[in-house]
Amino acid sequence: MLLTRPFTVKPFSSLKRRLPGTWRGLAGSAWLGVGLGMSMGLGMTLALTLGPAAAQAAPSSYKQPSPAIRELLDAPLPTRLLPSPDRQSVALIEQRRYTPLEELARPVMRLAGARFDPRSATPQNIVGILHLKLRPLLEPDATERVVELPAGGLWHSFAWAPDGQRFVIARRTDTGDELWAGATSNGQLWRIYNVRLNNAIDPDDLAWLSAKEVVVLTVPDQRGSPPSRQQTGPVIQENHGKASPERTYPDLLRNPADENTFEYYARSQLTLVDISTGQSRDLDKPDLFTSISAVGNGQALLTERITRPFSYNLTFDDFPTTVEVRQRDGKLIRELARMPLKQGVAIDGALPGPRVFYASPTKDAAVYWVEALDGGNPNSRAAFRDRVMRLDPPYTGEPFEVQRMPYRFTRLRFLDDGQHALLTEEDRSRGWTRTYLLPLRGTQSRPLFEHSVRERYRHPGVPLMRTLPNGQQAVQTLGGDPLLVGQGASPRGDRPFLDKISLRDLSTQRLFQSADGVYELPLAVLDDRRLLTQREAEHEPPNLMLRETGSGNRVTALTRLKDPSPQLRAVRRELVTFKRSDGVELSFWMYLPPDLKEGDRRPALVWAYPLEFNDAALASQLSGSPGRYMSFSSISPLNLLMDGYVVLMDATMPVVGDARTMNDNFIEQITMNARAILDKAEELGAVDPRRVAIGGHSYGAFMTANLLAHTKLFRCGIARSGAYNRTLTPFGFQSERRSLWEAKEVYLKLSPLLFAQQIKEPLLLIHGEADNNSGTFPTQSERLYQAMAGLGGTVRYVLLPYEAHGYAARESAGQVQWEMSQWLKGCLGDPRPSAAGAGSASGGAAAAPAEDRASTARAAGSR
């Protein structure tokens, strides 16, 4: 059953003038405490109460959106295309779109930040595979081989073997997670018996030792019965004078019984599987493994396992961890580090000792890690913050330093030549990143490129990765030079590119760039004359293409997937750019409903998500491409186009300023953004400026509530899975690094809960009952609803059973679309008015006049 909270409204004498269309017609002359309650039947009903608060809504079944939206929601997902590592075959994977509600309702363990099904030892919500086909990659007309997936259970986690001749896939059942293997040549499947995968806390971790041997984590054979969850005494936590600023995490351990239960389910066995024969054998003894990697060409294993003491304030990722290098048979060679509990570490800080371990993917079989040189404290003065260390086989000697970095380490990517790596660091105080070309032995590193972390137009791209014959990932090179693939952002939209960087002089050569009007992403360089890409267009789903240089630069379509949502061809979209009052460039994608006629003005929904920038020029850079395939997620507000609304999607909401203090004027900046958006929408002619709503998800919901609390720019709002009381996230949120006690005025000002009395426009709150995102606990929406209801505001609270931060069930998607559509119809009026009432609906709906919007924008900061 779906739980909803009803409207609570102020007396109609003050509300009537603000309600358009349907709602205004319901407003009577009495102000004796008549409340509006959303009927779970066909429309609106009136509920007489003894006071201004509305009656509690009864539990209800799930609602269905309009047939046009339901058809979109039930369209299949585009087929996923996964080329094999040897580039000879391609897997065509049809994935399920929704997680069944009954599956979400299954008993689940929520321990130490992990959510998993205790019966199958799999994550609660996994992407299921409905159908699987294989075919030769480079033969466009080749026959597809259907892989017959036996009925029962849920198939998931397809992966190619390193040579592409075989593959593995898992099946979740009520008794465990099975491992299966298959042959590429004929699609035949076989089960690996006596193996139950343990993906409870480390999903799909595979370590290939060869093309047919893989090490997996499995459920130990003799682990006994689960421990009791009954508490045997009080739970005590204490701190002895050491600062430990922790973010707010869900699903933490709460007592000793939780600790024992987590340890029981997290314990795994290293198991070596030969997928060609189906044989398996256990390696060493079970432990709390969280990571396994093959070293080099399978000469050794690098493992990480967590140890006690556990924490009630941190997730398992930050528990004490022991890192070890082992023989192929699992026998211990050497303990490399014991990383302590990550407690007392400053925000943006690091552990003081060894951390972040890498196994070399090439034949040198070295192990690399990072060590802090500043004690891990970002506030300490230090010429160098981190260094990279290396330990060579047989792992009994002393490690040696490879590189020192003035900023904090972020990643290390190895080139497939076995001699170089790309080393990246970040200066988090100013949001700046730098990448070096790092020789793994001998000569000094050379800076390759540096840029803002928010850079788009001049972003050099990211390394093009490929799977080596040993199953590990490395940066692909061509003629010995590394390849980079990038989005190619520009004022005209994204045009992906492929570049080659010369190791000799670090010059860059562009090998390919997508044409205008399409979005073509490089996937792999097959040789010096052939390039594999994935191309899509506005109404063409992603398909694989083969580009050949010479012979007229021939292009061959390797796949020809059809558009699963052809009804969207009638939707029009346009990238619109404009400036806010201080000159910062803004943009939004204007989506027009299929039935919009020339000269019509429709009610609109603005959907946005704020981003922080320390440079106005970076904030002005555009994102997106008119060549991207038009496909809507099941909870996207774009589905409302089918009900007749205009949607201004991905409206940019930059907050520009110094990284440490930019939130000081967050309200003023989002207000400036919102006014510019509304002014531009009015200028374009398709939007009725007096009937515009604002909405967002997560941080966008936070923005929505703040705009309604501090301005009168919008008729109503939709806020999904947001946080509205910043005192509940006292050690930072988003890019805010100050604590509540360092910036109390900012935290209070950015808490719309504390300004609930100023939210005069209707607000729809939607939240997943099991939100698993840091800081956005369902209580955030519940408390804002209670505040608005208690103060006589117009508010509706919808709590979706079993749903997390995103909503996965078909029923939930339908309910969310129904809620948003009905809410907009209630506060903006019908987007498709009858001919007789067209003038009334367009020109007479209650809305803030343009002059009110202007005056409110000027005064927003003083409210």
Side-chain angles (χ1 to χ4, degrees):
M1 301 296 284
L2 180 76
L3 301 180
T4 64
R5 300 295 174 92
F7 294 117
T8 304
V9 299
K10 59 172 54 181
F12 280 163
S13 58
S14 59
L15 180 66
K16 180 178 178 181
R17 60 184 175 83
R18 306 183 62 81
L19 294 178
T22 306
W23 287 8
R24 183 192 293 178
L26 292 171
S29 59
W31 60 279
L32 300 176
V34 180
L36 281 177
M38 178 65 79
S39 167
M40 304 321 291
L42 297 177
M44 309 290 293
T45 62
L46 293 177
L48 294 178
T49 67
L50 298 177
Q56 176 70 38
S60 65
S61 59
Y62 286 88
K63 310 304 288 188
Q64 290 293 330
S66 65
I69 291 182
R70 184 75 266 174
E71 183 184 13
L72 268 186
L73 298 185
D74 290 339
L77 294 174
T79 299
R80 181 187 175 202
L81 302 170
L82 188 61
S84 61
D86 63 352
R87 309 308 184 198
Q88 297 301 308
S89 303
V90 60
L92 295 87
I93 305 172
E94 295 181 34
Q95 298 173 324
R96 69 175 184 179
R97 182 159 191 169
Y98 300 106
T99 302
L101 196 64
E102 58 270 20
E103 189 174 309
L104 291 178
R106 288 163 59 125
V108 62
M109 292 291 176
R110 300 178 183 178
L111 299 169
R115 290 186 181 181
F116 55 90
D117 182 336
R119 292 180 296 179
S120 61
T122 59
Q124 179 190 26
N125 189 16
I126 56 180
V127 179
I129 296 175
L130 301 176
H131 303 286
L132 174 63
K133 300 176 183 177
L134 307 175
R135 46 153 283 197
L137 173 63
L138 303 178
E139 301 175 25
D141 299 319
T143 301
E144 296 175 348
R145 297 184 293 277
V146 177
V147 178
E148 298 292 345
L149 301 175
L154 177 67
W155 295 92
H156 65 97
S157 304
F158 173 93
W160 287 107
D163 62 357
Q165 301 304 303
R166 300 177 184 87
F167 59 89
V168 292
I169 190 171
R171 181 170 71 165
R172 186 180 72 186
T173 70
D174 287 340
T175 58
D177 200 28
E178 303 167 352
L179 180 64
W180 291 63
T184 305
S185 59
N186 56 19
Q188 180 181 354
L189 277 179
W190 56 91
R191 181 181 170 185
I192 310 297
Y193 285 95
N194 302 316
V195 166
R196 287 191 301 155
L197 299 174
N198 191 346
N199 291 317
I201 64 172
D202 189 30
D204 308 326
D205 202 4
L206 305 174
W208 291 96
L209 299 183
S210 68
K212 62 180 183 177
E213 290 181 306
V214 62
V215 178
V216 297
L217 296 178
T218 62
V219 175
D221 291 332
Q222 306 296 327
R223 68 174 179 177
S225 300
S228 169
R229 300 296 300 276
Q230 183 175 352
Q231 293 182 234
T232 57
V235 177
I236 299 172
Q237 299 185 62
E238 59 183 1
N239 188 66
H240 295 282
K242 182 178 180 180
S244 185
E246 315 296 354
R247 293 295 178 92
T248 51
Y249 300 106
D251 305 335
L252 297 176
L253 300 179
R254 296 171 297 175
N255 51 58
D258 278 357
E259 294 186 58
N260 295 335
T261 303
F262 171 76
E263 191 169 40
Y264 173 84
Y265 286 107
R267 189 173 300 278
S268 297
Q269 174 70 58
L270 296 174
T271 301
L272 176 64
V273 176
D274 186 324
I275 63 171
S276 65
T277 65
Q279 299 298 308
S280 65
R281 62 186 178 91
D282 293 339
L283 308 179
D284 207 29
K285 61 182 183 298
D287 217 314
L288 305 182
F289 293 105
T290 58
S291 176
I292 50 173
S293 302
V295 186
N297 291 325
Q299 295 100 309
L301 288 169
L302 181 67
T303 64
E304 297 184 15
R305 56 184 178 87
I306 56 179
T307 62
R308 289 180 181 260
F310 300 151
S311 169
Y312 294 174
N313 298 309
L314 298 168
T315 63
F316 73 87
D317 304 87
D318 293 328
F319 287 179
T321 301
T322 299
V323 184
E324 297 159 327
V325 61
R326 300 168 179 268
Q327 299 177 29
R328 285 172 55 99
D329 61 5
K331 296 261 176 50
L332 180 66
I333 298 176
R334 178 174 179 175
E335 179 184 291
L336 300 180
R338 292 190 180 187
M339 297 185 287
L341 181 70
K342 195 177 180 182
Q343 195 167 33
V345 177
I347 301 295
D348 284 341
L351 289 171
R355 70 182 198 279
V356 192
F357 285 74
Y358 289 86
S360 170
T362 55
K363 62 182 180 181
D364 67 328
V367 175
Y368 296 80
W369 65 86
V370 182
E371 294 180 357
L373 297 174
D374 60 356
N377 187 350
N379 299 316
S380 298
R381 290 183 174 273
F384 297 97
R385 299 246 171 237
D386 280 331
R387 66 176 180 175
V388 177
M389 303 295 292
R390 169 174 174 155
L391 178 66
D392 287 331
Y395 315 111
T396 55
E398 291 299 315
F400 60 91
E401 182 178 298
V402 178
Q403 173 76 21
R404 292 192 171 204
M405 294 162 285
Y407 303 128
R408 190 67 73 204
F409 169 89
T410 53
R411 69 184 62 89
L412 183 67
R413 291 190 175 111
F414 298 90
L415 272 60
D416 61 11
D417 65 359
Q419 301 178 41
H420 299 86
L422 300 180
L423 172 65
T424 304
E425 63 179 359
E426 181 181 332
D427 180 0
R428 297 176 184 175
S429 65
R430 64 188 186 109
W432 196 259
T433 184
R434 178 185 297 151
T435 297
Y436 301 87
L437 178 66
L438 177 67
L440 297 180
R441 283 190 180 275
T443 57
Q444 190 67 24
S445 65
R446 291 180 287 172
L448 201 56
F449 43 75
E450 56 183 300
H451 54 84
S452 167
V453 295
R454 294 290 194 195
E455 179 63 56
R456 288 188 54 81
Y457 288 177
R458 291 177 293 278
H459 196 288
V462 297
L464 180 65
M465 308 298 290
R466 76 178 183 94
T467 302
L468 302 177
N470 60 15
Q472 300 201 62
Q473 293 278 305
V475 179
Q476 185 170 4
T477 60
L478 182 63
D481 296 328
L483 300 172
L484 300 178
V485 59
Q487 291 293 328
S490 74
R492 296 189 302 168
D494 295 352
R495 296 175 58 215
F497 64 81
L498 178 69
D499 283 352
K500 181 174 73 168
I501 299 180
S502 169
L503 292 186
R504 181 177 57 83
D505 58 11
L506 304 185
S507 61
T508 300
Q509 177 187 356
R510 180 138 301 176
L511 303 180
F512 167 80
Q513 185 155 22
S514 177
D516 286 326
V518 299
Y519 184 88
E520 190 167 358
L521 185 69
L523 297 183
V525 174
L526 304 185
D527 52 45
D528 60 0
R529 298 185 57 186
R530 297 184 301 164
L531 172 65
L532 179 66
T533 67
Q534 181 172 277
R535 187 173 73 183
E536 60 189 89
E538 186 174 28
H539 298 298
E540 297 177 12
N543 276 289
L544 298 180
M545 314 295 292
L546 178 64
R547 290 186 163 271
E548 301 175 81
T549 60
S551 304
N553 294 320
R554 186 171 63 177
V555 181
T556 304
L558 300 178
T559 59
R560 298 182 180 88
L561 300 179
K562 302 299 183 183
D563 184 0
S565 302
Q567 62 269 50
L568 293 182
R569 293 175 183 269
V571 170
R572 290 164 288 164
R573 70 179 174 190
E574 176 187 354
L575 177 61
V576 178
T577 61
F578 50 99
K579 295 179 191 254
R580 71 184 194 185
S581 57
D582 63 354
V584 174
E585 189 95 7
L586 305 180
S587 66
F588 56 68
W589 286 90
M590 181 171 68
Y591 284 77
L592 302 178
D595 61 349
L596 183 70
K597 296 181 175 56
E598 189 71 29
D600 281 357
R601 283 186 178 268
R602 293 282 184 92
L605 172 63
V606 176
W607 200 261
Y609 189 97
L611 290 175
E612 300 88 351
F613 298 87
N614 56 17
D615 183 275
L618 294 174
S620 297
Q621 294 181 355
L622 305 181
S623 63
S625 169
R628 296 305 300 263
Y629 170 59
M630 190 182 294
S631 176
F632 306 158
S633 77
S634 59
I635 62 172
S636 170
L638 289 172
N639 291 286
L640 297 172
L641 292 163
M642 311 311 289
D643 281 355
Y645 295 97
V646 174
V647 179
L648 307 183
M649 191 68 181
D650 296 329
T652 52
M653 279 276 174
V655 179
V656 184
D658 179 84
R660 183 166 176 81
T661 60
M662 65 176 64
N663 278 331
D664 291 1
N665 61 354
F666 179 91
I667 301 297
E668 293 78 6
Q669 291 208 46
I670 64 171
T671 300
M672 192 177 356
N673 296 332
R675 185 185 173 198
I677 290 167
L678 291 171
D679 288 343
K680 187 62 179 181
E682 180 175 7
E683 175 190 321
L684 293 171
V687 173
D688 181 345
R690 298 176 298 176
R691 295 194 291 164
V692 182
I694 181 69
H697 191 97
S698 194
Y699 206 52
F702 165 75
M703 168 210 72
T704 296
N706 271 300
L707 282 171
L708 294 188
H710 296 283
T711 79
K712 295 180 181 178
L713 296 174
F714 297 96
R715 296 309 309 134
C716 60
I718 300 173
R720 302 189 327 210
S721 299
Y724 313 108
N725 180 0
R726 283 301 166 200
T727 68
L728 298 181
T729 56
F731 289 105
F733 55 91
Q734 290 297 104
S735 64
E736 179 59 64
R737 295 298 180 261
R738 298 169 293 181
S739 74
L740 166 64
W741 299 273
E742 294 172 300
K744 185 178 296 183
E745 290 186 6
V746 173
Y747 275 71
L748 298 181
K749 181 180 178 181
L750 297 187
S751 295
L753 174 75
L754 303 182
F755 298 89
Q757 79 281 6
Q758 296 181 183
I759 302 178
K760 306 301 183 184
E761 290 75 23
L763 176 60
L764 170 63
L765 296 167
I766 302 176
H767 219 116
E769 179 189 38
D771 196 316
N772 59 343
N773 185 54
S774 175
T776 55
F777 301 107
T779 190
Q780 293 272 5
S781 289
E782 183 176 350
R783 293 295 180 262
L784 182 57
Y785 166 77
Q786 291 172 338
M788 291 184 63
L791 293 165
T794 305
V795 61
R796 180 177 174 85
Y797 176 31
V798 182
L799 186 64
L800 300 171
Y802 314 117
E803 294 288 3
H805 194 58
Y807 319 138
R810 180 181 184 273
E811 295 88 343
S812 300
Q815 183 76 37
V816 167
Q817 296 299 335
W818 183 88
E819 293 285 353
M820 294 194 299
S821 183
Q822 293 297 313
W823 193 256
L824 295 184
K825 186 175 292 186
C827 64
L828 304 182
D830 194 330
R832 298 174 177 133
S834 63
S840 171
S842 178
E851 58 270 22
D852 285 356
R853 287 197 286 108
S855 62
T856 301
R858 287 191 295 271
S862 63
R863 287 191 54 177

